Amino acid sequence: MQSVPSQAIRPLSLSASLSSSRLPFFSFSLPIFHKFKINPSIYNKSQKVPLFLTLRCCSSGSVTAKPSSEDRRNRDVQEPDEKVVALRRLFSKPGIGIDAYIIPSQDAHQSEFIAECYMRRAYISGFTGSAGTAVVTKDKAALWTDGRYFLQAEKQLSSSWILMHAGSLGVPTTSEWLNDVLSPGGRVGIDPFLFSHDAAKELKEAISKKKLELVYLYDLNLVDDIWKESRPKPSNNPIRVHDMKYAGLDVASKLSSLRAELVGTGASAIVVSMLDEVAWLLNLRGSDVPHSPVMYAYLIVEVDGAKLFVDNSKVTKEVMDHLKNASVELRPYDSILSEIKRLAAQGAQLWLDASSVNAAIVETYKSALDKYRSNHGSKGKIKNKRYDESNGLSEDPSGVYMRSPISLAKALKNPAELEGMQNCHLRDAAALAQFWCWLEEEIHNNVELTEVDVADKLLEFRAKKEGFLDTSFDTISGSGANGAIIHYRAEIGSCSVVDPNKLILLDSGAQYIDGTTDITRTVHFGEPTAREKECFTRVLKGHIALDQAVFPENTPGFVLDAFARSSLWKIGLDYRHGTGHGVGAALNVHEGPQSISYRYGNTTPLQKGMIVSNEPGYYEDHAFGIRIENLLHVQEINTPNRYGGIEYLGFEKLTFFPIQVCY
């Protein structure tokens, strides 16, 4: 689509065709698990470690623990926070004895979206964004979040909290701040279930530089202790089987490929803790987490069996039969550590993805291995190390620490998954067409609508479509200045009325039984300003540049990120979020390992079958926001040349809804 900065952006044109050529499905055969061939000793940690725990201050010299200057205003007078005060009282209890406590966003599975009963950071701080870390000391409380949430956090945090703009120049990381505000010998407490092993290890090493001690509190989450009866109950909704016509591959085949990987690495079992990996591998879906069709569970796959750790009350007879057919046994959800100890006591070599498996599991395994070695006289230097290749047991097991192979296998969509994604996007586009026609008519009839009204109406149209299950995230409906809040959530009583003379940004998606959608459109129903027109045009240019990109195989996503930013960069503009994320097939709206981002640490190449978003934007604080997003399927491109004898790749659109016409 052409984009030129001329007189105005017309009201949305729905006359554009919603049809598109069918996706050319690629061939797909076993094995589905691609070997990473990574030496465990040089394993490059994945990007699941939270940004605010890993970013380093860009300035030279010592780090001063202070908020940004703009956050100092209106925060000089601190009011007591009852929840924080109650939390601090627990610091001195017997068996705890800490000087600071860290509350991350994650649950025990490092999920982005989590059940309400695990939203501990939101409860203690009042900040409801999906990404952030709270740290409470005996006399301070600080919260780190990234650029998507700066404006939201400013609104939601009370004066008791210091807002830290993670990644901004001069702003310390959590560990740097703790090193500055705590005295040597101080003790920092965490719930080890809520940190990946890599994140906990990095934190421990960072604070040890100032002689601070990291304390694992296995048996008590301090936030839960003060939340008490008001804490929401966990979901007990039934699990369902994901039909083969949507999954495309049966459980037995997936497990067989995974077990081949186990044998190849000398492991006897793999611990799977990421919820979408468990769901994908077993062809199951749940509804424990808002917007994500997953269930809270762990899975241990051994060379000769598998165990699913889940609340048995969620398991229907159909699911039970499904699991029996795949030789998967059921175990109570909270017995995972007992099973880890049992396996270690047998000398099992466990494959653990330390970037996603929580520290509680890894440390329990290591501790149990120490006992195993002691009982078998394997202390000191290892000699004659030998594996029993039939079961992966070792005279001196130490664990296999590598990235989970399930992540990549899940990202490479098979033909059935791609067909389901295409079909649900067609139905989704029809719902969007109905919605935008309705909204345009209401606006032109001077009907007063709030941002919540708009989001609710869109849900109403989507809910009528076949196979609709849920939204894939909270709809971002932002009029005018609220559009500049990247992950804004409109709420009754505090949201704005949609202004026909301002841009409205609508980022939304849906979970269908056969696929997952995610789309953003920015629309103006009146006459945009010259500034808005120029910014919109440059964002659209970037969107088109990425959409039409052709690149050699083995190209990581960060190489393409500049395509989407180039037009903005030419006039000194940018945006504070990645350009593209992976999307699951009837699974999480955000999935790895692929991404398109300025964060160049993710070297995962884009491959045929992957799905990514294309969503450049621009946000002018307190004025307006612009984002344009489609989902794309990576496919092979038939180029006239093949330099180096390799394949060249490009994108095919999955999103069928038009972008507002510019002229």
Side-chain angles (χ1 to χ4, degrees):
M1 179 181 294
Q2 293 185 343
S3 174
V4 291
S6 57
Q7 299 177 5
I9 302 175
R10 281 201 314 242
L12 183 70
S13 172
L14 291 168
S15 60
S17 172
L18 296 180
S19 64
S20 178
S21 60
R22 303 289 293 182
L23 286 174
F25 298 126
F26 59 92
S27 61
F28 189 85
S29 60
L30 291 173
I32 57 173
F33 292 93
H34 292 227
K35 293 184 184 294
F36 283 92
K37 297 180 180 178
I38 297 177
N39 186 326
S41 64
I42 58 171
Y43 167 44
N44 181 24
K45 292 180 284 189
S46 84
Q47 300 303 301
K48 293 184 183 297
V49 179
L51 172 65
F52 31 84
L53 288 179
T54 59
L55 279 172
R56 291 289 172 262
C57 179
C58 298
S59 59
S60 60
S62 61
V63 174
T64 302
K66 62 181 186 298
S68 65
S69 58
E70 63 183 286
D71 293 323
R72 286 186 179 278
R73 65 178 192 270
N74 300 325
R75 296 183 183 274
D76 294 332
V77 179
Q78 293 193 0
E79 301 173 359
D81 187 310
E82 292 181 3
K83 294 175 185 175
V84 173
V85 171
L87 185 71
R88 287 173 176 146
R89 290 195 195 104
L90 300 176
F91 287 10
S92 57
K93 286 186 64 174
I96 299 178
I98 58 175
D99 301 287
Y101 192 62
I102 303 178
I103 308 104
S105 301
Q106 288 79 14
D107 57 21
H109 305 267
Q110 307 305 300
S111 307
E112 177 187 14
F113 298 123
I114 62 177
E116 192 177 358
C117 59
Y118 298 129
M119 294 180 180
R120 299 175 174 105
R121 190 226 60 229
Y123 171 78
I124 198 69
S125 69
F127 168 63
T128 60
S130 66
T133 295
V135 182
V136 177
T137 69
K138 291 179 177 179
D139 59 356
K140 294 180 175 64
L143 181 130
W144 282 255
T145 191
D146 62 48
R148 297 170 297 171
Y149 298 102
F150 289 165
L151 295 181
Q152 179 180 344
E154 286 175 12
K155 288 183 177 182
Q156 292 183 327
L157 291 177
S158 74
S159 60
S160 297
W161 288 84
I162 304 167
L163 173 59
M164 296 291 189
H165 287 182
S168 297
L169 186 65
V171 176
T173 64
T174 53
S175 56
E176 290 166 342
W177 187 76
L178 285 166
N179 284 340
D180 188 67
V181 302
L182 296 183
S183 300
R187 288 161 54 89
V188 179
I190 65 169
D191 181 339
F193 284 94
L194 306 185
F195 285 75
S196 72
H197 178 259
D198 278 350
K201 180 182 178 182
E202 182 178 356
L203 176 62
K204 182 177 181 179
E205 293 173 351
I207 65 175
S208 67
K209 296 175 183 177
K210 290 297 181 71
K211 295 182 169 49
L212 301 180
E213 179 185 357
L214 187 63
V215 180
Y216 288 177
L217 301 175
Y218 284 87
D219 301 322
L220 176 66
N221 184 285
L222 302 192
V223 175
D224 293 352
D225 193 71
I226 65 171
W227 207 345
K228 297 187 184 301
E229 293 78 14
S230 62
R231 184 184 176 199
K233 302 297 181 184
S235 166
N236 63 351
N237 294 328
I239 301 168
R240 58 184 170 85
V241 176
H242 189 53
D243 197 282
M244 264 293 293
K245 66 181 177 181
Y246 307 130
L249 201 62
D250 60 62
V251 178
S253 298
K254 292 179 180 180
L255 291 177
S256 177
S257 291
L258 180 56
R259 286 176 177 132
E261 290 288 308
L262 291 178
V263 173
T265 59
S268 54
I270 184 171
V271 179
V272 185
S273 66
M274 297 294 287
L275 301 184
D276 60 334
E277 292 188 5
V278 175
W280 179 85
L281 193 61
L282 297 181
N283 288 346
L284 294 176
R285 297 295 187 267
S287 55
D288 288 355
V289 179
H291 315 302
S292 300
V294 296
M295 61 281 175
Y296 277 105
Y298 296 99
L299 177 66
I300 295 180
V301 178
E302 301 175 70
V303 293
D304 57 356
K307 296 181 180 71
L308 178 66
F309 298 79
V310 69
D311 181 353
N312 192 58
S313 67
K314 303 174 186 176
V315 180
T316 64
K317 184 182 184 303
E318 181 187 13
V319 170
M320 181 73 78
D321 292 341
H322 173 78
L323 293 172
K324 283 183 178 178
N325 289 338
S327 299
V328 178
E329 301 175 31
L330 285 178
R331 293 290 186 274
Y333 175 77
D334 57 6
S335 67
I336 181 66
L337 293 187
S338 297
E339 181 66 14
I340 296 296
K341 292 176 184 177
R342 188 190 69 81
L343 289 169
Q346 296 177 350
Q349 281 277 40
L350 294 188
W351 184 337
L352 299 160
D353 183 341
S355 69
S356 60
V357 175
N358 65 55
I361 288 176
V362 177
E363 292 302 321
T364 295
Y365 177 60
K366 288 182 175 181
S367 178
L369 283 185
D370 288 341
K371 292 181 181 179
Y372 173 85
R373 294 190 191 99
S374 178
N375 293 336
H376 290 76
S378 299
K379 290 184 177 179
K381 190 174 181 180
I382 301 170
K383 295 181 179 180
N384 299 322
K385 187 173 182 181
R386 176 176 59 82
Y387 290 98
D388 179 350
E389 293 187 0
S390 66
N391 58 20
L393 302 184
S394 170
E395 287 186 348
D396 190 78
S398 56
V400 176
Y401 296 92
M402 295 175 61
R403 184 181 300 173
S404 168
I406 304 169
S407 177
L408 180 59
K410 175 169 56 65
L412 302 178
K413 308 298 187 281
N414 63 48
E417 290 172 322
L418 285 171
E419 182 177 10
M421 289 291 280
Q422 184 185 44
N423 289 339
C424 78
H425 274 80
L426 284 167
R427 300 195 303 275
D428 202 58
L432 285 161
Q434 292 171 315
F435 161 77
W436 281 109
C437 283
W438 168 84
L439 180 58
E440 187 170 20
E441 183 176 352
E442 295 292 284
I443 292 295
H444 289 164
N445 288 333
N446 299 315
V447 176
E448 185 175 286
L449 297 168
T450 68
E451 295 162 328
V452 170
D453 293 333
V454 168
D456 288 347
K457 192 66 177 182
L458 177 54
L459 174 59
E460 183 181 318
F461 280 113
R462 276 194 167 117
K464 295 177 182 178
K465 298 304 175 187
E466 181 183 357
F468 175 84
L469 298 171
D470 191 7
T471 54
S472 54
F473 54 93
D474 286 323
T475 297
I476 300 170
S477 172
S479 176
N482 289 338
I485 304 174
I486 297 173
H487 275 197
Y488 173 70
R489 181 180 178 182
E491 296 181 345
I492 296 173
S494 62
C495 64
S496 297
V497 171
V498 174
D499 189 336
N501 297 311
K502 295 180 180 179
L503 289 168
I504 178 171
L505 185 154
L506 195 65
D507 187 349
S508 67
Q511 293 286 2
Y512 295 92
I513 196 168
D514 52 348
T516 303
T517 70
D518 184 2
I519 177 174
T520 308
R521 292 294 183 264
T522 306
V523 169
H524 202 297
F525 292 106
E527 178 66 22
T529 66
R531 174 71 169 178
E532 290 170 337
K533 285 188 281 187
E534 179 176 19
C535 293
F536 182 94
T537 299
R538 290 185 179 277
V539 170
L540 182 56
K541 282 184 174 181
H543 179 94
I544 294 171
L546 180 59
D547 179 88
Q548 297 181 344
V550 176
F551 48 94
E553 61 178 316
N554 298 319
T555 299
F558 75 81
V559 173
L560 303 180
D561 184 74
F563 286 45
R565 298 178 192 269
S566 179
S567 185
L568 289 166
W569 284 351
K570 288 177 180 177
I571 59 170
L573 299 181
D574 205 348
Y575 49 95
R576 294 191 190 106
H577 59 75
T579 300
H581 57 81
V583 179
L587 265 177
N588 290 355
V589 72
H590 293 161
E591 73 167 18
Q594 76 276 19
S595 67
I596 300 174
S597 173
Y598 58 90
R599 299 185 183 97
Y600 51 82
N602 186 354
T603 58
T604 303
L606 298 181
Q607 300 179 43
K608 290 185 296 184
M610 286 182 170
I611 293 172
V612 293
S613 65
N614 172 10
E615 49 182 311
Y618 174 68
Y619 312 90
E620 202 143 289
D621 289 355
H622 313 295
F624 63 86
I626 298 166
R627 185 162 62 252
I628 303 171
E629 176 186 18
N630 286 341
L631 296 191
L632 307 173
H633 156 228
V634 182
Q635 62 174 10
E636 183 180 355
I637 299 297
N638 186 20
T639 54
N641 304 289
R642 290 202 173 192
Y643 183 79
I646 62 175
E647 292 182 344
Y648 281 75
L649 305 175
F651 300 114
E652 176 74 18
K653 282 183 285 295
L654 284 171
T655 305
F656 297 112
F657 187 74
I659 298 169
Q660 187 174 36
V661 176
C662 300
Y663 67 95

